[in-house]
mmCIF file of all heavy atoms in Angstrom:
data_model
loop_
_atom_site.group_PDB
_atom_site.id
_atom_site.type_symbol
_atom_site.label_atom_id
_atom_site.label_comp_id
_atom_site.label_asym_id
_atom_site.label_seq_id
_atom_site.Cartn_x
_atom_site.Cartn_y
_atom_site.Cartn_z
ATOM 1 N N LYS M 277 -14.643 -15.784 10.462
ATOM 2 C CA LYS M 277 -16.101 -15.670 10.594
ATOM 3 C C LYS M 277 -16.511 -14.216 10.841
ATOM 4 O O LYS M 277 -15.713 -13.407 11.297
ATOM 5 C CB LYS M 277 -16.613 -16.562 11.741
ATOM 6 C CG LYS M 277 -16.167 -16.155 13.139
ATOM 7 C CD LYS M 277 -16.729 -17.100 14.181
ATOM 8 C CE LYS M 277 -16.240 -16.822 15.583
ATOM 9 N NZ LYS M 277 -16.666 -15.604 16.207
ATOM 10 N N GLY M 278 -17.783 -13.921 10.537
ATOM 11 C CA GLY M 278 -18.309 -12.577 10.814
ATOM 12 C C GLY M 278 -17.858 -11.545 9.786
ATOM 13 O O GLY M 278 -17.252 -11.862 8.777
ATOM 14 N N THR M 279 -18.162 -10.294 10.093
ATOM 15 C CA THR M 279 -17.804 -9.186 9.189
ATOM 16 C C THR M 279 -17.140 -8.078 10.006
ATOM 17 O O THR M 279 -17.335 -7.997 11.225
ATOM 18 C CB THR M 279 -19.061 -8.597 8.512
ATOM 19 O OG1 THR M 279 -20.019 -8.281 9.535
ATOM 20 C CG2 THR M 279 -19.668 -9.552 7.524
ATOM 21 N N PRO M 280 -16.373 -7.201 9.339
ATOM 22 C CA PRO M 280 -15.739 -6.100 10.068
ATOM 23 C C PRO M 280 -16.785 -5.187 10.702
ATOM 24 O O PRO M 280 -17.922 -5.115 10.215
ATOM 25 C CB PRO M 280 -14.962 -5.353 8.977
ATOM 26 C CG PRO M 280 -14.820 -6.320 7.856
ATOM 27 C CD PRO M 280 -16.021 -7.207 7.915
ATOM 28 N N PRO M 281 -16.422 -4.474 11.767
ATOM 29 C CA PRO M 281 -17.396 -3.596 12.426
ATOM 30 C C PRO M 281 -17.773 -2.389 11.571
ATOM 31 O O PRO M 281 -17.073 -2.059 10.614
ATOM 32 C CB PRO M 281 -16.654 -3.140 13.696
ATOM 33 C CG PRO M 281 -15.214 -3.288 13.388
ATOM 34 C CD PRO M 281 -15.102 -4.435 12.428
ATOM 35 N N ASP M 282 -18.876 -1.781 11.915
ATOM 36 C CA ASP M 282 -19.353 -0.565 11.261
ATOM 37 C C ASP M 282 -18.404 0.582 11.623
ATOM 38 O O ASP M 282 -18.251 0.917 12.803
ATOM 39 C CB ASP M 282 -20.777 -0.281 11.770
ATOM 40 C CG ASP M 282 -21.350 0.996 11.191
ATOM 41 O OD1 ASP M 282 -20.637 1.692 10.447
ATOM 42 O OD2 ASP M 282 -22.523 1.297 11.500
ATOM 43 N N LEU M 283 -17.786 1.193 10.615
ATOM 44 C CA LEU M 283 -16.796 2.245 10.881
ATOM 45 C C LEU M 283 -17.431 3.549 11.365
ATOM 46 O O LEU M 283 -16.738 4.469 11.778
ATOM 47 C CB LEU M 283 -15.951 2.511 9.635
ATOM 48 C CG LEU M 283 -15.012 1.371 9.196
ATOM 49 C CD1 LEU M 283 -14.274 1.748 7.919
ATOM 50 C CD2 LEU M 283 -14.010 1.010 10.282
ATOM 51 N N THR M 284 -18.778 3.629 11.322
ATOM 52 C CA THR M 284 -19.424 4.828 11.877
ATOM 53 C C THR M 284 -19.722 4.629 13.365
ATOM 54 O O THR M 284 -20.143 5.540 14.055
ATOM 55 C CB THR M 284 -20.752 5.164 11.154
ATOM 56 O OG1 THR M 284 -21.641 4.051 11.302
ATOM 57 C CG2 THR M 284 -20.528 5.442 9.687
ATOM 58 N N ALA M 285 -19.542 3.398 13.852
ATOM 59 C CA ALA M 285 -19.822 3.112 15.272
ATOM 60 C C ALA M 285 -18.857 2.032 15.775
ATOM 61 O O ALA M 285 -19.250 0.918 16.076
ATOM 62 C CB ALA M 285 -21.272 2.646 15.428
ATOM 63 N N LEU M 286 -17.578 2.403 15.839
ATOM 64 C CA LEU M 286 -16.574 1.433 16.290
ATOM 65 C C LEU M 286 -16.789 1.078 17.761
ATOM 66 O O LEU M 286 -17.167 1.937 18.559
ATOM 67 C CB LEU M 286 -15.163 1.994 16.086
ATOM 68 C CG LEU M 286 -14.638 1.994 14.646
ATOM 69 C CD1 LEU M 286 -13.350 2.791 14.549
ATOM 70 C CD2 LEU M 286 -14.434 0.577 14.138
ATOM 71 N N PRO M 287 -16.557 -0.173 18.136
ATOM 72 C CA PRO M 287 -16.759 -0.576 19.535
ATOM 73 C C PRO M 287 -15.736 0.090 20.466
ATOM 74 O O PRO M 287 -14.711 0.594 20.010
ATOM 75 C CB PRO M 287 -16.541 -2.090 19.497
ATOM 76 C CG PRO M 287 -15.697 -2.332 18.288
ATOM 77 C CD PRO M 287 -16.077 -1.282 17.300
ATOM 78 N N ALA M 288 -16.033 0.068 21.761
ATOM 79 C CA ALA M 288 -15.133 0.683 22.745
ATOM 80 C C ALA M 288 -13.827 -0.111 22.844
ATOM 81 O O ALA M 288 -12.754 0.456 23.027
ATOM 82 C CB ALA M 288 -15.813 0.716 24.114
ATOM 83 N N GLY M 289 -13.938 -1.423 22.716
ATOM 84 C CA GLY M 289 -12.759 -2.262 22.872
ATOM 85 C C GLY M 289 -12.050 -2.521 21.553
ATOM 86 O O GLY M 289 -11.980 -1.657 20.683
ATOM 87 N N CYS M 290 -11.534 -3.725 21.407
ATOM 88 C CA CYS M 290 -10.816 -4.116 20.202
ATOM 89 C C CYS M 290 -11.813 -4.302 19.050
ATOM 90 O O CYS M 290 -12.836 -4.968 19.216
ATOM 91 C CB CYS M 290 -10.075 -5.424 20.461
ATOM 92 S SG CYS M 290 -9.357 -6.125 18.965
ATOM 93 N N PRO M 291 -11.550 -3.743 17.870
ATOM 94 C CA PRO M 291 -12.507 -3.853 16.764
ATOM 95 C C PRO M 291 -12.675 -5.291 16.241
ATOM 96 O O PRO M 291 -13.638 -5.586 15.544
ATOM 97 C CB PRO M 291 -11.918 -2.947 15.680
ATOM 98 C CG PRO M 291 -10.476 -2.780 16.028
ATOM 99 C CD PRO M 291 -10.387 -2.902 17.508
ATOM 100 N N PHE M 292 -11.729 -6.175 16.588
ATOM 101 C CA PHE M 292 -11.786 -7.547 16.088
ATOM 102 C C PHE M 292 -12.545 -8.492 17.041
ATOM 103 O O PHE M 292 -12.763 -9.663 16.728
ATOM 104 C CB PHE M 292 -10.352 -8.064 15.858
ATOM 105 C CG PHE M 292 -10.265 -9.339 15.061
ATOM 106 C CD1 PHE M 292 -10.799 -9.419 13.777
ATOM 107 C CD2 PHE M 292 -9.664 -10.469 15.593
ATOM 108 C CE1 PHE M 292 -10.723 -10.597 13.039
ATOM 109 C CE2 PHE M 292 -9.585 -11.656 14.860
ATOM 110 C CZ PHE M 292 -10.110 -11.715 13.575
ATOM 111 N N THR M 293 -12.994 -7.949 18.173
ATOM 112 C CA THR M 293 -13.590 -8.769 19.241
ATOM 113 C C THR M 293 -14.634 -9.778 18.754
ATOM 114 O O THR M 293 -14.566 -10.958 19.091
ATOM 115 C CB THR M 293 -14.252 -7.841 20.301
ATOM 116 O OG1 THR M 293 -13.248 -6.952 20.775
ATOM 117 C CG2 THR M 293 -14.786 -8.630 21.475
ATOM 118 N N ASP M 294 -15.597 -9.323 17.954
ATOM 119 C CA ASP M 294 -16.718 -10.195 17.565
ATOM 120 C C ASP M 294 -16.316 -11.345 16.652
ATOM 121 O O ASP M 294 -17.078 -12.289 16.462
ATOM 122 C CB ASP M 294 -17.816 -9.365 16.872
ATOM 123 C CG ASP M 294 -18.519 -8.445 17.870
ATOM 124 O OD1 ASP M 294 -18.321 -8.645 19.086
ATOM 125 O OD2 ASP M 294 -19.230 -7.532 17.427
ATOM 126 N N ARG M 295 -15.111 -11.260 16.068
ATOM 127 C CA ARG M 295 -14.683 -12.309 15.130
ATOM 128 C C ARG M 295 -13.530 -13.146 15.691
ATOM 129 O O ARG M 295 -13.014 -14.017 15.007
ATOM 130 C CB ARG M 295 -14.228 -11.646 13.815
ATOM 131 C CG ARG M 295 -15.245 -10.701 13.231
ATOM 132 C CD ARG M 295 -14.699 -9.966 12.020
ATOM 133 N NE ARG M 295 -14.636 -10.817 10.840
ATOM 134 C CZ ARG M 295 -14.111 -10.438 9.681
ATOM 135 N NH1 ARG M 295 -13.600 -9.228 9.549
ATOM 136 N NH2 ARG M 295 -14.095 -11.258 8.649
ATOM 137 N N CYS M 296 -13.126 -12.837 16.922
ATOM 138 C CA CYS M 296 -11.874 -13.385 17.447
ATOM 139 C C CYS M 296 -12.079 -14.660 18.269
ATOM 140 O O CYS M 296 -12.905 -14.685 19.174
ATOM 141 C CB CYS M 296 -11.196 -12.325 18.313
ATOM 142 S SG CYS M 296 -9.625 -12.871 18.974
ATOM 143 N N PRO M 297 -11.291 -15.719 17.979
ATOM 144 C CA PRO M 297 -11.425 -16.964 18.751
ATOM 145 C C PRO M 297 -10.774 -16.897 20.137
ATOM 146 O O PRO M 297 -11.012 -17.757 20.978
ATOM 147 C CB PRO M 297 -10.721 -18.006 17.877
ATOM 148 C CG PRO M 297 -9.821 -17.242 16.972
ATOM 149 C CD PRO M 297 -10.367 -15.854 16.848
ATOM 150 N N TYR M 298 -9.939 -15.865 20.384
ATOM 151 C CA TYR M 298 -9.183 -15.806 21.651
ATOM 152 C C TYR M 298 -9.741 -14.774 22.628
ATOM 153 O O TYR M 298 -9.090 -14.412 23.586
ATOM 154 C CB TYR M 298 -7.715 -15.439 21.365
ATOM 155 C CG TYR M 298 -7.062 -16.336 20.358
ATOM 156 C CD1 TYR M 298 -6.808 -15.883 19.059
ATOM 157 C CD2 TYR M 298 -6.690 -17.637 20.687
ATOM 158 C CE1 TYR M 298 -6.216 -16.711 18.116
ATOM 159 C CE2 TYR M 298 -6.084 -18.473 19.759
ATOM 160 C CZ TYR M 298 -5.858 -18.002 18.482
ATOM 161 O OH TYR M 298 -5.270 -18.823 17.556
ATOM 162 N N VAL M 299 -10.945 -14.295 22.376
ATOM 163 C CA VAL M 299 -11.455 -13.123 23.101
ATOM 164 C C VAL M 299 -11.569 -13.353 24.610
ATOM 165 O O VAL M 299 -11.936 -14.433 25.078
ATOM 166 C CB VAL M 299 -12.814 -12.674 22.479
ATOM 167 C CG1 VAL M 299 -13.913 -13.694 22.723
ATOM 168 C CG2 VAL M 299 -13.233 -11.309 22.964
ATOM 169 N N ILE M 300 -11.172 -12.321 25.391
ATOM 170 C CA ILE M 300 -11.357 -12.328 26.858
ATOM 171 C C ILE M 300 -12.181 -11.080 27.212
ATOM 172 O O ILE M 300 -12.381 -10.205 26.360
ATOM 173 C CB ILE M 300 -9.998 -12.309 27.618
ATOM 174 C CG1 ILE M 300 -9.134 -11.106 27.187
ATOM 175 C CG2 ILE M 300 -9.248 -13.626 27.419
ATOM 176 C CD1 ILE M 300 -7.865 -10.910 27.996
ATOM 177 N N ASP M 301 -12.648 -10.987 28.443
ATOM 178 C CA ASP M 301 -13.544 -9.880 28.842
ATOM 179 C C ASP M 301 -12.981 -8.497 28.502
ATOM 180 O O ASP M 301 -13.692 -7.626 28.007
ATOM 181 C CB ASP M 301 -13.834 -9.947 30.350
ATOM 182 C CG ASP M 301 -14.835 -11.060 30.655
ATOM 183 O OD1 ASP M 301 -15.390 -11.619 29.681
ATOM 184 O OD2 ASP M 301 -15.035 -11.379 31.840
ATOM 185 N N LYS M 302 -11.704 -8.318 28.794
ATOM 186 C CA LYS M 302 -11.055 -7.015 28.611
ATOM 187 C C LYS M 302 -11.171 -6.515 27.160
ATOM 188 O O LYS M 302 -11.210 -5.310 26.902
ATOM 189 C CB LYS M 302 -9.583 -7.169 28.991
ATOM 190 C CG LYS M 302 -8.837 -5.876 29.185
ATOM 191 C CD LYS M 302 -7.401 -6.191 29.621
ATOM 192 C CE LYS M 302 -6.688 -4.922 30.049
ATOM 193 N NZ LYS M 302 -5.330 -5.199 30.511
ATOM 194 N N CYS M 303 -11.226 -7.465 26.214
ATOM 195 C CA CYS M 303 -11.272 -7.106 24.785
ATOM 196 C C CYS M 303 -12.511 -6.268 24.450
ATOM 197 O O CYS M 303 -12.488 -5.443 23.546
ATOM 198 C CB CYS M 303 -11.271 -8.360 23.924
ATOM 199 S SG CYS M 303 -9.875 -9.459 24.240
ATOM 200 N N HIS M 304 -13.608 -6.501 25.180
ATOM 201 C CA HIS M 304 -14.856 -5.796 24.888
ATOM 202 C C HIS M 304 -14.819 -4.332 25.330
ATOM 203 O O HIS M 304 -15.499 -3.487 24.753
ATOM 204 C CB HIS M 304 -16.036 -6.491 25.574
ATOM 205 C CG HIS M 304 -16.327 -7.847 24.992
ATOM 206 N ND1 HIS M 304 -16.960 -8.012 23.778
ATOM 207 C CD2 HIS M 304 -16.057 -9.090 25.453
ATOM 208 C CE1 HIS M 304 -17.076 -9.297 23.510
ATOM 209 N NE2 HIS M 304 -16.530 -9.977 24.507
ATOM 210 N N SER M 305 -14.028 -4.055 26.362
ATOM 211 C CA SER M 305 -14.107 -2.713 26.952
ATOM 212 C C SER M 305 -12.891 -1.825 26.701
ATOM 213 O O SER M 305 -12.985 -0.611 26.734
ATOM 214 C CB SER M 305 -14.311 -2.830 28.467
ATOM 215 O OG SER M 305 -13.309 -3.672 29.003
ATOM 216 N N GLU M 306 -11.729 -2.432 26.435
ATOM 217 C CA GLU M 306 -10.522 -1.617 26.281
ATOM 218 C C GLU M 306 -9.813 -1.906 24.968
ATOM 219 O O GLU M 306 -9.581 -3.058 24.617
ATOM 220 C CB GLU M 306 -9.538 -1.914 27.427
ATOM 221 C CG GLU M 306 -9.914 -1.283 28.748
ATOM 222 C CD GLU M 306 -8.858 -1.587 29.809
ATOM 223 O OE1 GLU M 306 -7.691 -1.165 29.620
ATOM 224 O OE2 GLU M 306 -9.187 -2.261 30.801
ATOM 225 N N LEU M 307 -9.465 -0.839 24.261
ATOM 226 C CA LEU M 307 -8.743 -0.979 22.997
ATOM 227 C C LEU M 307 -7.281 -1.325 23.300
ATOM 228 O O LEU M 307 -6.607 -0.582 24.007
ATOM 229 C CB LEU M 307 -8.812 0.355 22.230
ATOM 230 C CG LEU M 307 -8.125 0.392 20.867
ATOM 231 C CD1 LEU M 307 -8.893 -0.438 19.851
ATOM 232 C CD2 LEU M 307 -7.989 1.829 20.383
ATOM 233 N N PRO M 308 -6.772 -2.442 22.786
ATOM 234 C CA PRO M 308 -5.376 -2.791 23.090
ATOM 235 C C PRO M 308 -4.406 -1.868 22.358
ATOM 236 O O PRO M 308 -4.620 -1.559 21.180
ATOM 237 C CB PRO M 308 -5.244 -4.232 22.593
ATOM 238 C CG PRO M 308 -6.334 -4.396 21.600
ATOM 239 C CD PRO M 308 -7.429 -3.452 21.949
ATOM 240 N N PRO M 309 -3.349 -1.406 23.043
ATOM 241 C CA PRO M 309 -2.378 -0.547 22.369
ATOM 242 C C PRO M 309 -1.478 -1.380 21.454
ATOM 243 O O PRO M 309 -1.293 -2.577 21.677
ATOM 244 C CB PRO M 309 -1.563 0.042 23.532
ATOM 245 C CG PRO M 309 -1.656 -0.989 24.609
ATOM 246 C CD PRO M 309 -2.988 -1.656 24.456
ATOM 247 N N LEU M 310 -0.934 -0.738 20.428
ATOM 248 C CA LEU M 310 0.050 -1.403 19.572
ATOM 249 C C LEU M 310 1.376 -1.354 20.327
ATOM 250 O O LEU M 310 1.941 -0.285 20.526
ATOM 251 C CB LEU M 310 0.163 -0.655 18.239
ATOM 252 C CG LEU M 310 1.070 -1.272 17.165
ATOM 253 C CD1 LEU M 310 0.524 -2.607 16.676
ATOM 254 C CD2 LEU M 310 1.243 -0.315 15.992
ATOM 255 N N GLU M 311 1.840 -2.514 20.792
ATOM 256 C CA GLU M 311 3.054 -2.491 21.610
ATOM 257 C C GLU M 311 4.037 -3.576 21.186
ATOM 258 O O GLU M 311 3.687 -4.537 20.501
ATOM 259 C CB GLU M 311 2.694 -2.637 23.097
ATOM 260 C CG GLU M 311 1.898 -3.874 23.422
ATOM 261 C CD GLU M 311 1.353 -3.864 24.853
ATOM 262 O OE1 GLU M 311 1.456 -2.842 25.544
ATOM 263 O OE2 GLU M 311 0.834 -4.916 25.251
ATOM 264 N N VAL M 312 5.276 -3.387 21.614
ATOM 265 C CA VAL M 312 6.346 -4.315 21.249
ATOM 266 C C VAL M 312 6.118 -5.667 21.909
ATOM 267 O O VAL M 312 5.935 -5.761 23.121
ATOM 268 C CB VAL M 312 7.715 -3.749 21.686
ATOM 269 C CG1 VAL M 312 8.832 -4.741 21.378
ATOM 270 C CG2 VAL M 312 7.990 -2.421 20.986
ATOM 271 N N LYS M 313 6.110 -6.721 21.090
ATOM 272 C CA LYS M 313 6.035 -8.085 21.623
ATOM 273 C C LYS M 313 7.436 -8.673 21.719
ATOM 274 O O LYS M 313 7.747 -9.437 22.621
ATOM 275 C CB LYS M 313 5.152 -8.968 20.723
ATOM 276 C CG LYS M 313 3.704 -8.479 20.630
ATOM 277 C CD LYS M 313 2.995 -8.489 21.970
ATOM 278 C CE LYS M 313 1.549 -8.006 21.858
ATOM 279 N NZ LYS M 313 0.861 -7.938 23.149
ATOM 280 N N LYS M 314 8.279 -8.338 20.755
ATOM 281 C CA LYS M 314 9.711 -8.662 20.816
ATOM 282 C C LYS M 314 10.428 -7.894 19.716
ATOM 283 O O LYS M 314 9.853 -7.654 18.642
ATOM 284 C CB LYS M 314 9.951 -10.159 20.675
ATOM 285 C CG LYS M 314 9.538 -10.737 19.343
ATOM 286 C CD LYS M 314 10.164 -12.078 19.086
ATOM 287 C CE LYS M 314 10.130 -12.329 17.583
ATOM 288 N NZ LYS M 314 10.448 -13.670 17.211
ATOM 289 N N ASN M 315 11.647 -7.470 19.982
ATOM 290 C CA ASN M 315 12.442 -6.678 19.028
ATOM 291 C C ASN M 315 11.583 -5.586 18.401
ATOM 292 O O ASN M 315 11.030 -4.765 19.097
ATOM 293 C CB ASN M 315 13.065 -7.576 17.949
ATOM 294 C CG ASN M 315 13.893 -8.687 18.565
ATOM 295 O OD1 ASN M 315 14.395 -8.532 19.666
ATOM 296 N ND2 ASN M 315 14.032 -9.796 17.877
ATOM 297 N N ASP M 316 11.452 -5.607 17.054
ATOM 298 C CA ASP M 316 10.589 -4.576 16.444
ATOM 299 C C ASP M 316 9.303 -5.201 15.914
ATOM 300 O O ASP M 316 8.764 -4.790 14.893
ATOM 301 C CB ASP M 316 11.342 -3.792 15.357
ATOM 302 C CG ASP M 316 11.951 -4.707 14.301
ATOM 303 O OD1 ASP M 316 11.890 -5.937 14.497
ATOM 304 O OD2 ASP M 316 12.483 -4.198 13.298
#
Side-chain angles (χ1 to χ4, degrees):
K277 66 180 175 68
T279 52
D282 178 357
L283 293 178
T284 60
L286 284 170
C290 171
F292 193 58
T293 303
D294 290 347
R295 307 174 75 185
C296 182
Y298 306 106
V299 68
I300 56 173
D301 284 351
K302 194 178 189 178
C303 304
H304 292 284
S305 53
E306 284 182 62
L307 181 71
L310 185 66
E311 57 190 8
V312 177
K313 298 298 180 183
K314 64 162 201 192
N315 305 334
D316 54 353

